[in-house]
Each structure stands twice: as structure tokens, then as C-alpha cells.
Amino acid sequence: MTAASSTFSAHHAEDYESMMGRWSRRLAPAFIDFAGIPPDARILDLGCGTGVLAEALSGAVPRARIVGVDLSGPYVEMARSRLGGAAEFRVDDACDLDLPDGSFDHVLSLLMLHFVPDPARAVAEMRRVCRAGGVVAAAVWDASGGYVVNRIFFDTAAMVDPDAEARRARNYARPMTRPGELEAAWHRAGLLDVQATQLLIRMEFSQFDDWWQPFLGREGPIAEYVGGLDDTTRRTLEAALRRAYLAGQPDGPRSYAAVAWAVRGRVPPVPAG
């Protein structure tokens, strides 16, 4: 296991829940439907985080056997406490899984591959641990063109803080987040019957503070950036983001769209002889 297998700052499970839990919870049902999981499937949840996808799977396919793996020990502990015996969780490296070949019917990854510096290795591992004829599926945000909250934050930050320009560029160019990248990766991995789609959700916020407070935590690229600002720059950024959120209207509820790229493919059959 090596931290080089992920660029995501992952140490505090509670902050992760505040930052990303609500998004994963909203996206999981659409992803599960797209993955097409039979009732008795053996499922690997790769990059399981705090267990949001596994929890949705346990409700959607209650007879399935679910194993979740994540590089973060604190995330795995929260997932275990959340689901009890409904799923098995362990710390493992997506690029070097300690799992046997062909041991799952479905291998899934939700909102994780774009944080892997060498995603081809992770996709190869997903294929390796999936049985012949099984399904490998993943979803990641359309970071540049379809994730409105992401655009509001980084475009505003780049106007306020010159140092944010490079962060914005990195964020919009994360692996697998550009049109066609996921689908191309599945073809390169030798998967068959590759299907790609877009999954659309909306996220609601009660007011600006509901939108802003998760960025003050310790998890993920936005919180990592905000946490490194001096007080003056942080206050300037907060004021600018408040104006962007309000957009000339009173503070209150807002709803923002988010699009994820999704792909699925089938592991080829074992050659005869």
C-alpha cells in the first residue's frame, strides 16, 4: 500500500462525510442501475470511502456479497461502523489489490479513479479481480464541464488568488474526467461490450453556509487549498464565493447540477484450451 496510489487528502472520516458523503449518496442509485447488478452478485467496491456506495448496494441487492476497500484506514473504520455485517471492509491499494484473480462478479468504483495518478493500473486491477464475463464499472465527475459547484469554487478562487490558477488547471485536468477518457480506458484494458453514459444529479443547499462550511474541513483538494490560506485571503475568498452563490438574490436554497461520466464493460471469457 502506498500513498502515491491516491492524490486525495484522506485522514478524517467525519470531514469526508460532510464534504463528499451527500454527493456519493445522491449519485449511487443511478450508478447502481447503470452497472446492472444481479441479486446474488459478489461485488467489490473499490475506493469505498466511508461506505456510501456499499450501503446503497446493500439496500438495492440485499443478497449480494459486498467487499469494500480503501486506502484510508479512518474511512474503512467508519464504513465498518456504518454497515456492521452487511459488508466486509479492508484497507487495500487500488493499484495493487491483495485479492485473488476472478473473485468478484462486479467490480465498481464511484468517484475515485480521478484521484489515482496511474488510473490504468487501477483499471487493470479491477479487471484482474473480476471473473470472466463479469462487469467492471466506474463513474467520475465531469470536473470541467459538468460539475457546477466545482466550477463556481475554482473559477472564483482563481480570480481572487493568483496561486489558485495552477490548482484550478490541475483540478480540471484530473485523469479520466475529460470526454471519452473513461470509455477509452475500458477499451485499452481489453474489456468487451463497453458502454458509456452520463449520470446527472442535482444537489440542494439550504443557504450559503451549508455550501461553504464543508470547504473548511480537512478532506479533499478544496478543503486542502482553503486550509492553507492565510486569514486575509480566506476571508476575501469567502466573500467572493458568497457573492457568486447569491448571484444578486437573497441568501437561501440553491440547487446545482452535477454530471458524472460512467462506463461499464465485460471481462472477456477465458480462452478455450
Side-chain angles (χ1 to χ4, degrees):
M1 182 179 68
T2 169
S5 293
S6 176
T7 60
F8 192 88
S9 173
H11 307 286
H12 305 279
E14 295 80 6
D15 286 354
Y16 177 85
E17 275 289 296
S18 175
M19 172 64 76
M20 283 307 303
R22 67 169 104 181
W23 295 93
S24 300
R25 200 166 285 110
R26 186 65 59 88
L27 185 60
F31 179 55
I32 291 170
D33 286 346
F34 172 68
I37 303 168
D40 298 306
R42 300 167 298 166
I43 306 168
L44 176 65
D45 176 5
L46 187 69
C48 64
T50 54
V52 171
L53 177 59
E55 185 174 36
L57 285 164
S58 69
V61 279
R63 298 204 306 272
R65 175 192 167 228
I66 304 163
V67 176
V69 301
D70 199 278
L71 199 59
S72 169
Y75 290 6
V76 166
E77 286 303 315
M78 177 173 278
R80 287 172 178 158
S81 67
R82 163 181 279 147
L83 273 80
E88 174 190 344
F89 296 97
R90 63 179 73 174
V91 175
D92 207 343
D93 186 340
C95 294
D96 187 21
L97 291 168
D98 186 19
L99 292 167
D101 294 357
S103 50
F104 296 94
D105 303 304
H106 271 64
V107 178
L108 310 179
S109 177
L110 180 65
L111 303 179
M112 187 278 288
L113 284 177
H114 50 311
F115 291 110
V116 178
D118 186 3
R121 287 182 58 194
V123 175
E125 281 293 89
M126 294 174 76
R127 172 181 167 164
R128 180 184 67 79
V129 301
C130 190
R131 67 165 176 83
V135 170
V136 177
V140 301
W141 292 126
D142 175 5
S144 178
Y147 192 7
V148 175
V149 166
N150 193 59
R151 290 297 312 223
I152 291 173
F153 182 91
F154 278 107
D155 288 351
T156 303
M159 296 295 292
V160 170
D161 174 18
D163 292 338
E165 179 65 34
R167 286 181 177 269
R168 178 174 69 168
R170 288 197 301 272
N171 186 76
Y172 292 168
R174 290 190 183 280
M176 303 291 189
T177 63
R178 299 177 194 177
E181 281 190 303
L182 264 183
E183 185 177 3
W186 257 234
H187 283 296
R188 286 194 300 271
L191 295 163
L192 305 178
D193 302 329
V194 175
Q195 302 173 43
T197 192
Q198 301 171 41
L199 306 176
L200 171 66
I201 64 167
R202 298 195 71 90
M203 183 58 64
E204 290 73 41
F205 300 89
S206 61
Q207 58 184 352
F208 174 73
D209 283 346
D210 183 32
W211 187 88
W212 167 250
Q213 285 297 318
F215 301 149
L216 303 180
R218 296 163 289 184
E219 300 299 278
I222 292 180
E224 182 182 28
Y225 164 68
V226 173
L229 297 175
D230 60 74
D231 289 344
T232 299
T233 305
R234 186 190 60 77
R235 287 194 296 268
T236 301
L237 174 63
E238 180 181 356
L241 287 169
R242 183 182 294 274
R243 292 193 298 273
Y245 180 90
L246 298 183
Q249 302 297 315
D251 195 3
R254 301 289 191 273
S255 177
Y256 295 116
V259 174
W261 306 114
V263 69
R264 56 170 286 172
R266 186 168 51 83
V267 176
V270 178

